[in-house]
């Protein structure tokens, strides 16, 4: 699974970073960036949760192993 952040939408709430710090990092410019190219299977649930909870809906997921 891959994850992408739309930096036009991201408002830097940092919720994704709080949920999955292995995957997301808050950039000093005020938006989040993705640290990995491919999300490890064991972290897909967390990333899905982060995407659901992002207030700006800036996180998009792709790939064929989406869960939950
Ligand atoms: S939760 Fe959404 S708006 Fe907040 S930093 Fe992450 S991607 Fe950006």
């Amino acid at each position: 699974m891959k994850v992408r952040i739309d930096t036009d939408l991201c408002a830097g709430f940092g919720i994704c970073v709080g949920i999955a710090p292995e995957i997301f990092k808050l950039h000093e410019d005020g938006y989040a960036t993705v640290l990995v190219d491919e999300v490890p299977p064991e972290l897909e649930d967390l990333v899905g949760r982060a995407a659901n909870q992002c207030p700006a809906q800036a996180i998009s997921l792709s790939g064929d192993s989406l869960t939950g």
Side-chain angles (χ1 to χ4, degrees):
M1 176 171 110
K2 289 190 189 304
V3 58
R4 232 188 100 247
I5 289 177
D6 186 332
T7 50
D8 288 339
L9 294 177
C10 173
F13 295 113
I15 293 169
C16 56
V17 181
I19 293 174
E22 301 90 340
I23 303 294
F24 304 105
K25 184 177 180 359
L26 209 50
H27 194 270
E28 58 194 22
D29 289 352
Y31 54 84
T33 53
V34 178
L35 296 173
V36 299
D37 192 39
E38 190 78 29
V39 178
E42 67 273 18
L43 293 178
E44 289 188 355
D45 278 356
L46 267 188
V47 171
R49 206 183 313 160
N52 284 336
Q53 295 197 14
C54 171
Q57 299 184 331
I59 302 174
S60 54
L61 309 175
S62 60
D64 55 11
S65 56
L66 293 180
T67 55

